[in-house]
């Protein structure tokens, strides 16, 4: 069960945004990721609890940020309930999308697991509902993911495979690179892996 923490920063001006302390694990029914998020002063600002099935679909999502809360799952596309900080109002949403995305590294692993692009096969398109801090307002976006390289790195145990993905925002044309190994993000825009207590899990 990998445990560790990521540092988070603004991908444009590199302003520190805090840290995400996580643990995650694969199992017979899929994968689960749980994290707590703190700001640069160390104050708690949010949390992520995401469970995927064996195909990479989100079967349970619970996000917290600045007293906002979203619970969601893959149901008739994706369906969610968003609750305001006072707890007085809850709004339901549904979109013809494949999964969720957001600021957490968990969503990069989840999208790669869902799409599973292969080397030389070109990009795979997907529609996602983005839920980003501080208010977790839903926004639908289209992306394509392509696997550019898959590089083994020797370790004391089995080799670690580092996968390099090119991610395109199909609405804006923005392009960036994501590096993953197993169920851990090595680096991505605004995300750096700072510590890891045990090796990444490998998906079956």
């Amino acid at each position: 069960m990998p445990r560790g923490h990521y540092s988070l920063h603004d991908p444009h001006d590199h302003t520190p945004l805090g840290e995400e302390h996580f643990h995650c694990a694969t199992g017979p029914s899929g994968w689960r990721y749980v994290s707590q998020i703190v700001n640069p002063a160390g104050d708690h600002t949010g949390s992520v609890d995401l469970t995927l099935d064996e195909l990479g679909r989100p079967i349970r999502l619970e996000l917290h940020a600045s007293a906002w809360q979203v619970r969601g799952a893959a149901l008739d596309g994706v369906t969610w309930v968003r609750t305001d900080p006072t707890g007085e109002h809850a709004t339901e949403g549904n979109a013809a999308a494949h999964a969720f995305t957001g600021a957490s590294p968990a969503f990069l692993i989840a999208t790669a697991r869902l799409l599973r692009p292969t080397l030389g096969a070109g990009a795979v398109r997907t529609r996602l509902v983005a839920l980003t801090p501080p208010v977790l307002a839903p926004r639908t976006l289209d992306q394509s993911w392509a696997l550019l390289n898959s590089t083994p790195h020797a370790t004391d145990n089995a080799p670690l495979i580092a996968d390099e993905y090119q991610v395109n925002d199909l609405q804006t044309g923005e392009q960036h690179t994501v590096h993953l190994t197993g169920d851990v993000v090595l680096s991505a825009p605004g995300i750096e892996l700072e510590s890891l207590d045990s090796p990444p899990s490998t998906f079956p």
Side-chain angles (χ1 to χ4, degrees):
M1 179 186 292
R3 291 177 177 270
H5 83 278
Y6 298 102
S7 62
L8 309 176
H9 57 268
D10 186 294
H12 302 291
D13 63 12
H14 302 288
T15 300
L17 300 177
E19 296 181 344
E20 185 161 337
H21 296 259
F22 73 94
H23 63 273
C24 53
T26 55
S29 61
W31 180 72
R32 186 179 182 197
Y33 176 101
V34 177
S35 71
Q36 300 292 324
I37 302 161
V38 297
N39 64 19
D43 301 318
H44 182 265
T45 58
S47 63
V48 179
D49 189 341
L50 173 64
T51 302
L52 308 180
D53 68 10
E54 67 275 9
L55 298 178
R57 297 172 299 195
I59 56 175
R60 179 178 178 273
L61 170 66
E62 185 169 328
L63 285 180
H64 293 265
S66 302
W68 291 89
Q69 174 184 288
V70 171
R71 294 174 184 262
L75 183 66
D76 296 327
V78 293
T79 299
W80 64 91
V81 176
R82 177 172 174 262
T83 307
D84 65 300
T86 67
E88 296 178 2
H89 306 285
T91 56
E92 295 185 8
N94 174 265
H98 302 105
F100 297 100
T101 190
S104 172
F107 294 113
L108 298 175
I109 300 156
T111 304
R113 180 65 180 157
L114 177 71
L115 300 181
R116 304 183 199 188
T118 55
L119 273 173
V124 181
R125 293 179 57 137
T126 187
R127 174 161 290 179
L128 304 169
V129 172
L131 303 163
T132 52
V135 297
L136 304 178
R139 179 175 65 93
T140 304
L141 55 86
D142 294 306
Q143 288 184 343
S144 70
W145 283 59
L147 180 59
L148 300 184
N149 290 293
S150 194
T151 307
H153 294 273
T155 69
D156 293 338
N157 301 311
L160 283 179
I161 306 299
D163 293 324
E164 179 185 355
Y165 296 91
Q166 180 176 289
V167 180
N168 291 329
D169 185 314
L170 298 178
Q171 291 155 317
T172 66
E174 185 178 356
Q175 191 176 93
H176 61 269
T177 303
V178 172
H179 293 87
L180 309 180
T181 181
D183 60 351
V184 171
V185 177
L186 297 174
S187 67
I191 299 166
E192 293 292 339
L193 180 65
E194 298 292 349
S195 70
L196 187 62
D197 294 348
S198 57
S201 303
T202 54
F203 291 105

Coordinates of all heavy atoms in Angstrom, one line a residue, residues 99-169:
A99 N -15.8 9.9 -16.6 CA -15.3 9.9 -15.2 C -15.1 11.3 -14.8 O -15.5 12.3 -15.4 CB -13.9 9.2 -15.3
F100 N -14.5 11.5 -13.6 CA -14.3 12.8 -13.0 C -12.8 13.1 -13.1 O -11.9 12.2 -13.2 CB -14.6 12.8 -11.5 CG -16.1 12.5 -11.2 CD1 -16.5 11.2 -10.8 CD2 -17.0 13.5 -11.3 CE1 -17.9 11.0 -10.6 CE2 -18.4 13.3 -11.1 CZ -18.8 12.0 -10.7
T101 N -12.5 14.4 -13.0 CA -11.1 14.8 -12.8 C -11.1 16.0 -11.9 O -12.1 16.5 -11.4 CB -10.5 15.2 -14.2 OG1 -9.1 15.4 -14.0 CG2 -11.1 16.5 -14.8
G102 N -9.9 16.5 -11.5 CA -9.7 17.6 -10.6 C -8.3 17.8 -10.3 O -7.4 17.4 -11.0
A103 N -8.0 18.5 -9.2 CA -6.7 18.9 -8.9 C -5.8 17.8 -8.3 O -4.6 17.9 -8.3 CB -6.7 20.1 -7.9
S104 N -6.4 16.8 -7.7 CA -5.7 15.7 -7.0 C -5.0 14.8 -8.0 O -5.5 14.5 -9.1 CB -6.7 14.9 -6.2 OG -6.0 13.7 -5.7
P105 N -3.8 14.4 -7.7 CA -3.1 13.4 -8.5 C -3.9 12.1 -8.7 O -3.7 11.4 -9.7 CB -1.8 13.1 -7.7 CG -1.6 14.3 -6.8 CD -3.0 14.8 -6.5
A106 N -4.8 11.8 -7.8 CA -5.6 10.6 -7.9 C -6.3 10.5 -9.3 O -6.5 9.5 -9.9 CB -6.7 10.6 -6.8
F107 N -6.8 11.7 -9.8 CA -7.5 11.7 -11.0 C -6.7 11.4 -12.3 O -7.2 10.9 -13.3 CB -8.2 13.1 -11.2 CG -9.3 13.3 -10.1 CD1 -9.1 14.3 -9.2 CD2 -10.4 12.5 -10.1 CE1 -10.1 14.5 -8.2 CE2 -11.4 12.7 -9.1 CZ -11.2 13.7 -8.2
L108 N -5.4 11.7 -12.2 CA -4.5 11.4 -13.3 C -4.3 9.9 -13.4 O -4.4 9.3 -14.5 CB -3.1 12.1 -13.1 CG -3.2 13.6 -13.1 CD1 -1.8 14.1 -12.8 CD2 -3.7 14.1 -14.4
I109 N -4.1 9.2 -12.2 CA -4.0 7.8 -12.2 C -5.3 7.1 -12.7 O -5.3 6.2 -13.5 CB -3.6 7.3 -10.8 CG1 -2.3 7.9 -10.4 CG2 -3.6 5.8 -10.7 CD1 -2.1 8.0 -8.9
A110 N -6.4 7.7 -12.2 CA -7.7 7.1 -12.6 C -8.0 7.2 -14.1 O -8.5 6.3 -14.7 CB -8.8 7.8 -11.8
T111 N -7.7 8.4 -14.7 CA -7.9 8.6 -16.1 C -7.0 7.6 -16.9 O -7.5 7.0 -17.9 CB -7.7 10.0 -16.5 OG1 -8.5 10.9 -15.7 CG2 -8.0 10.2 -18.0
A112 N -5.8 7.5 -16.6 CA -4.9 6.6 -17.3 C -5.3 5.2 -17.2 O -5.3 4.4 -18.1 CB -3.4 6.7 -16.7
R113 N -5.9 4.8 -16.0 CA -6.4 3.5 -15.8 C -7.6 3.2 -16.6 O -7.8 2.1 -17.2 CB -6.7 3.3 -14.3 CG -7.2 1.9 -13.9 CD -6.2 0.8 -14.2 NE -6.7 -0.5 -13.8 CZ -6.2 -1.6 -14.3 NH1 -5.2 -1.6 -15.2 NH2 -6.7 -2.8 -14.0
L114 N -8.5 4.2 -16.7 CA -9.7 4.1 -17.5 C -9.4 4.0 -19.0 O -10.0 3.1 -19.7 CB -10.6 5.3 -17.2 CG -11.9 5.4 -18.0 CD1 -12.9 4.3 -17.5 CD2 -12.5 6.8 -17.9
L115 N -8.5 4.8 -19.5 CA -8.3 4.8 -21.0 C -7.3 3.8 -21.4 O -7.4 3.2 -22.5 CB -7.7 6.2 -21.3 CG -8.7 7.4 -21.0 CD1 -8.0 8.7 -21.5 CD2 -10.0 7.2 -21.7
R116 N -6.2 3.5 -20.6 CA -5.2 2.5 -21.0 C -4.7 2.7 -22.4 O -4.7 1.7 -23.2 CB -5.7 1.1 -20.7 CG -6.2 0.9 -19.3 CD -6.7 -0.5 -19.1 NE -7.6 -0.5 -17.9 CZ -8.0 -1.6 -17.3 NH1 -7.7 -2.8 -17.8 NH2 -8.8 -1.6 -16.3
P117 N -4.2 3.9 -22.8 CA -3.6 4.0 -24.1 C -2.4 3.1 -24.2 O -1.7 2.9 -23.2 CB -3.3 5.5 -24.2 CG -3.2 6.0 -22.8 CD -4.1 5.1 -22.0
T118 N -2.1 2.7 -25.4 CA -0.9 1.8 -25.6 C 0.1 2.5 -26.5 O -0.3 3.3 -27.3 CB -1.3 0.4 -26.2 OG1 -2.1 0.7 -27.4 CG2 -2.2 -0.3 -25.2
L119 N 1.3 2.1 -26.4 CA 2.4 2.7 -27.2 C 2.1 2.5 -28.7 O 1.8 1.4 -29.1 CB 3.7 2.0 -26.9 CG 4.5 2.6 -25.7 CD1 5.7 1.8 -25.4 CD2 5.0 4.1 -26.0
G120 N 2.2 3.5 -29.5 CA 2.1 3.5 -30.9 C 0.7 3.4 -31.4 O 0.4 3.4 -32.6
A121 N -0.3 3.4 -30.5 CA -1.7 3.3 -30.9 C -2.4 4.6 -31.0 O -3.6 4.6 -31.4 CB -2.5 2.4 -29.9
G122 N -1.7 5.7 -30.8 CA -2.3 7.0 -30.9 C -3.1 7.4 -29.6 O -3.1 6.7 -28.6
A123 N -3.7 8.6 -29.7 CA -4.4 9.1 -28.5 C -5.8 8.5 -28.4 O -6.4 8.1 -29.3 CB -4.5 10.6 -28.7
V124 N -6.2 8.5 -27.1 CA -7.6 8.0 -26.7 C -8.3 9.2 -26.2 O -7.8 9.9 -25.3 CB -7.5 6.9 -25.7 CG1 -8.9 6.4 -25.4 CG2 -6.7 5.8 -26.2
R125 N -9.5 9.5 -26.7 CA -10.3 10.6 -26.2 C -11.2 10.2 -25.1 O -11.7 9.1 -25.0 CB -11.2 11.1 -27.4 CG -10.4 11.7 -28.5 CD -11.4 12.2 -29.6 NE -12.3 13.2 -29.1 CZ -12.7 14.3 -29.8 NH1 -12.2 14.6 -30.9 NH2 -13.6 15.1 -29.2
T126 N -11.5 11.2 -24.2 CA -12.4 11.0 -23.1 C -13.1 12.3 -22.8 O -12.6 13.4 -23.0 CB -11.7 10.4 -21.9 OG1 -12.7 10.1 -20.9 CG2 -10.7 11.4 -21.3
R127 N -14.3 12.2 -22.2 CA -15.0 13.4 -21.6 C -15.1 13.2 -20.1 O -15.4 12.2 -19.6 CB -16.4 13.5 -22.2 CG -17.3 14.6 -21.6 CD -18.4 15.0 -22.5 NE -18.0 15.7 -23.7 CZ -18.8 16.1 -24.6 NH1 -20.1 15.9 -24.5 NH2 -18.3 16.7 -25.7
L128 N -14.7 14.3 -19.4 CA -14.6 14.3 -18.0 C -15.3 15.4 -17.4 O -15.5 16.5 -18.0 CB -13.1 14.4 -17.6 CG -12.1 13.3 -18.1 CD1 -10.7 13.7 -17.9 CD2 -12.4 11.9 -17.6
V129 N -15.8 15.2 -16.1 CA -16.3 16.3 -15.3 C -15.3 16.7 -14.3 O -14.9 16.0 -13.5 CB -17.6 15.9 -14.6 CG1 -18.1 17.0 -13.7 CG2 -18.7 15.6 -15.7
A130 N -14.8 18.0 -14.4 CA -13.8 18.5 -13.6 C -14.4 19.1 -12.3 O -15.4 19.9 -12.4 CB -12.9 19.5 -14.3
L131 N -13.9 18.8 -11.2 CA -14.3 19.3 -9.9 C -13.0 19.9 -9.2 O -12.2 19.1 -8.7 CB -14.9 18.2 -9.0 CG -16.1 17.5 -9.6 CD1 -16.4 16.2 -8.9 CD2 -17.4 18.4 -9.6
T132 N -12.9 21.2 -9.2 CA -11.6 21.8 -8.7 C -11.9 22.7 -7.5 O -12.9 23.4 -7.4 CB -10.9 22.5 -9.8 OG1 -11.8 23.5 -10.4 CG2 -10.4 21.6 -10.9
P133 N -10.9 22.7 -6.6 CA -11.0 23.6 -5.4 C -11.0 25.1 -5.9 O -10.5 25.3 -7.0 CB -9.8 23.3 -4.6 CG -9.3 22.0 -5.1 CD -9.7 21.9 -6.5
P134 N -11.5 26.0 -5.1 CA -12.0 25.8 -3.8 C -13.5 25.5 -3.7 O -14.0 25.2 -2.6 CB -11.7 27.2 -3.1 CG -11.9 28.1 -4.3 CD -11.4 27.5 -5.5
V135 N -14.3 25.6 -4.8 CA -15.7 25.4 -4.6 C -16.3 24.2 -5.3 O -17.5 23.9 -5.2 CB -16.5 26.7 -5.1 CG1 -16.1 27.9 -4.3 CG2 -16.2 26.9 -6.6
L136 N -15.4 23.4 -6.0 CA -15.8 22.1 -6.6 C -17.0 22.3 -7.6 O -17.8 21.4 -7.7 CB -16.1 21.1 -5.5 CG -15.0 20.8 -4.5 CD1 -15.5 19.8 -3.4 CD2 -13.8 20.3 -5.1
A137 N -17.0 23.4 -8.3 CA -18.1 23.6 -9.3 C -17.8 22.7 -10.5 O -16.7 22.7 -11.0 CB -18.1 25.0 -9.7
P138 N -18.8 21.9 -11.0 CA -18.5 21.0 -12.1 C -18.4 21.7 -13.4 O -19.1 22.6 -13.7 CB -19.8 20.1 -12.1 CG -20.8 20.9 -11.4 CD -20.2 21.8 -10.5
R139 N -17.4 21.2 -14.2 CA -17.2 21.7 -15.6 C -16.8 20.5 -16.5 O -16.0 19.7 -16.1 CB -16.1 22.7 -15.5 CG -15.7 23.3 -16.9 CD -14.7 24.4 -16.8 NE -13.4 23.9 -16.3 CZ -12.4 23.5 -17.1 NH1 -12.5 23.5 -18.4 NH2 -11.3 23.1 -16.6
T140 N -17.5 20.4 -17.6 CA -17.2 19.3 -18.5 C -16.1 19.6 -19.5 O -16.1 20.8 -20.0 CB -18.5 18.9 -19.3 OG1 -19.5 18.6 -18.3 CG2 -18.3 17.7 -20.1
L141 N -15.2 18.7 -19.7 CA -14.1 19.0 -20.6 C -13.8 17.7 -21.4 O -14.1 16.6 -20.9 CB -12.9 19.6 -19.9 CG -12.3 18.8 -18.7 CD1 -11.3 17.7 -19.2 CD2 -11.6 19.7 -17.8
D142 N -13.1 17.9 -22.5 CA -12.7 16.8 -23.4 C -11.2 16.8 -23.4 O -10.5 17.8 -23.6 CB -13.3 16.9 -24.8 CG -14.8 16.8 -24.8 OD1 -15.3 15.8 -24.3 OD2 -15.4 17.8 -25.3
Q143 N -10.6 15.6 -23.3 CA -9.2 15.4 -23.3 C -8.8 14.2 -24.2 O -9.7 13.4 -24.5 CB -8.6 15.1 -21.9 CG -8.6 16.2 -20.9 CD -7.9 15.8 -19.6 OE1 -7.8 14.6 -19.3 NE2 -7.6 16.8 -18.8
S144 N -7.6 14.2 -24.7 CA -7.0 13.0 -25.3 C -5.7 12.7 -24.6 O -5.0 13.5 -24.1 CB -6.8 13.2 -26.8 OG -5.7 14.1 -27.0
W145 N -5.5 11.4 -24.4 CA -4.3 10.8 -23.7 C -3.6 9.9 -24.7 O -4.2 9.0 -25.3 CB -4.7 10.0 -22.5 CG -5.1 10.9 -21.3 CD1 -6.1 11.8 -21.2 CD2 -4.4 10.8 -20.0 NE1 -6.1 12.3 -20.0 CE2 -5.1 11.8 -19.2 CE3 -3.4 10.1 -19.5 CZ2 -4.7 12.0 -17.9 CZ3 -3.0 10.3 -18.2 CH2 -3.7 11.3 -17.4
A146 N -2.3 10.1 -24.8 CA -1.4 9.2 -25.6 C -0.2 8.8 -24.8 O 0.4 9.6 -24.1 CB -1.0 9.9 -26.9
L147 N 0.1 7.5 -24.9 CA 1.3 7.0 -24.2 C 2.5 7.2 -25.1 O 2.6 6.6 -26.2 CB 1.1 5.5 -23.8 CG 2.2 4.8 -23.1 CD1 2.5 5.5 -21.8 CD2 1.9 3.3 -22.9
L148 N 3.5 8.0 -24.7 CA 4.6 8.3 -25.5 C 5.8 7.4 -25.2 O 6.5 7.0 -26.2 CB 5.1 9.8 -25.2 CG 4.1 10.9 -25.5 CD1 4.7 12.2 -25.2 CD2 3.5 10.8 -26.9
N149 N 6.0 7.1 -24.0 CA 7.2 6.2 -23.6 C 6.8 5.4 -22.4 O 6.0 5.8 -21.6 CB 8.4 7.1 -23.3 CG 9.0 7.7 -24.5 OD1 9.5 7.1 -25.4 ND2 8.9 9.1 -24.5
S150 N 7.4 4.2 -22.3 CA 7.3 3.3 -21.2 C 8.7 2.8 -20.8 O 9.2 2.0 -21.6 CB 6.3 2.2 -21.5 OG 5.9 1.5 -20.4
T151 N 9.3 3.4 -19.8 CA 10.7 3.1 -19.5 C 10.9 2.4 -18.2 O 10.5 2.8 -17.1 CB 11.4 4.5 -19.4 OG1 11.2 5.3 -20.5 CG2 12.9 4.3 -19.3
P152 N 11.6 1.2 -18.2 CA 11.9 0.5 -17.0 C 13.0 1.1 -16.2 O 14.0 1.6 -16.8 CB 12.3 -0.9 -17.5 CG 12.8 -0.7 -18.9 CD 12.1 0.5 -19.4
H153 N 12.9 1.1 -14.9 CA 14.0 1.6 -14.0 C 14.3 0.5 -13.0 O 13.4 0.0 -12.3 CB 13.6 2.9 -13.3 CG 13.4 4.1 -14.2 ND1 14.4 4.9 -14.6 CD2 12.3 4.5 -14.9 CE1 13.9 5.9 -15.4 NE2 12.7 5.6 -15.6
A154 N 15.6 0.2 -12.9 CA 16.0 -0.9 -12.0 C 15.8 -0.5 -10.6 O 16.1 0.6 -10.2 CB 17.4 -1.3 -12.3
T155 N 15.3 -1.5 -9.8 CA 15.2 -1.3 -8.3 C 15.7 -2.5 -7.6 O 16.1 -3.5 -8.3 CB 13.8 -1.0 -7.9 OG1 13.0 -2.3 -8.0 CG2 13.1 0.1 -8.7
D156 N 15.8 -2.5 -6.3 CA 16.2 -3.7 -5.6 C 15.3 -4.9 -5.8 O 15.7 -6.0 -5.6 CB 16.3 -3.4 -4.1 CG 17.4 -2.4 -3.7 OD1 18.3 -2.2 -4.6 OD2 17.3 -1.7 -2.7
N157 N 14.0 -4.6 -6.1 CA 13.1 -5.7 -6.4 C 12.8 -5.7 -7.9 O 13.8 -5.8 -8.7 CB 11.8 -5.4 -5.6 CG 12.1 -5.4 -4.1 OD1 12.7 -6.2 -3.5 ND2 11.5 -4.3 -3.4
A158 N 11.6 -5.7 -8.3 CA 11.3 -5.7 -9.7 C 11.5 -4.4 -10.3 O 11.4 -3.3 -9.6 CB 9.8 -6.2 -9.9
P159 N 11.7 -4.3 -11.6 CA 11.9 -3.0 -12.3 C 10.6 -2.2 -12.2 O 9.5 -2.7 -12.2 CB 12.2 -3.3 -13.7 CG 12.6 -4.7 -13.8 CD 11.9 -5.4 -12.6
L160 N 10.7 -0.8 -12.0 CA 9.6 0.1 -12.0 C 9.4 0.6 -13.5 O 10.4 1.0 -14.1 CB 9.8 1.2 -11.1 CG 9.6 1.0 -9.6 CD1 9.8 2.3 -8.8 CD2 8.2 0.5 -9.3
I161 N 8.2 0.6 -14.0 CA 7.9 1.1 -15.3 C 7.4 2.5 -15.2 O 6.4 2.7 -14.6 CB 6.9 0.2 -16.0 CG1 7.4 -1.3 -16.0 CG2 6.7 0.7 -17.5 CD1 8.7 -1.5 -16.7
A162 N 8.1 3.5 -15.7 CA 7.7 4.8 -15.7 C 7.0 5.1 -17.1 O 7.7 5.0 -18.1 CB 8.8 5.8 -15.5
D163 N 5.7 5.5 -17.0 CA 5.0 5.8 -18.3 C 4.9 7.3 -18.5 O 4.5 8.0 -17.5 CB 3.6 5.2 -18.2 CG 3.6 3.7 -18.2 OD1 4.5 3.1 -18.9 OD2 2.8 3.1 -17.5
E164 N 5.1 7.8 -19.7 CA 5.0 9.2 -20.0 C 3.8 9.4 -20.9 O 3.7 8.8 -22.0 CB 6.3 9.7 -20.7 CG 6.2 11.1 -21.1 CD 7.4 11.6 -21.9 OE1 8.4 10.8 -22.1 OE2 7.4 12.7 -22.4
Y165 N 2.8 10.2 -20.5 CA 1.6 10.4 -21.3 C 1.6 11.9 -21.7 O 2.0 12.8 -21.0 CB 0.4 10.2 -20.4 CG 0.2 8.8 -19.9 CD1 0.7 8.4 -18.7 CD2 -0.5 7.9 -20.7 CE1 0.5 7.1 -18.3 CE2 -0.7 6.6 -20.2 CZ -0.2 6.2 -19.0 OH -0.4 4.9 -18.6
Q166 N 1.1 12.1 -23.0 CA 0.8 13.4 -23.4 C -0.7 13.6 -23.4 O -1.5 12.8 -23.9 CB 1.3 13.6 -24.9 CG 1.0 15.0 -25.5 CD 1.5 15.1 -26.9 OE1 2.7 15.2 -27.1 NE2 0.6 15.1 -27.8
V167 N -1.1 14.7 -22.6 CA -2.5 15.0 -22.4 C -2.8 16.3 -23.1 O -2.2 17.3 -22.9 CB -2.8 15.1 -20.9 CG1 -4.3 15.4 -20.7 CG2 -2.4 13.8 -20.2
N168 N -3.9 16.2 -23.9 CA -4.3 17.4 -24.7 C -5.7 17.8 -24.2 O -6.6 16.9 -24.1 CB -4.4 17.1 -26.2 CG -3.1 16.9 -26.8 OD1 -2.1 17.5 -26.4 ND2 -3.0 16.1 -27.8
D169 N -5.9 19.1 -24.0 CA -7.2 19.6 -23.8 C -7.8 19.9 -25.1 O -7.3 20.8 -25.9 CB -7.2 20.9 -22.9 CG -8.5 21.5 -22.5 OD1 -9.4 21.5 -23.4 OD2 -8.8 21.8 -21.4

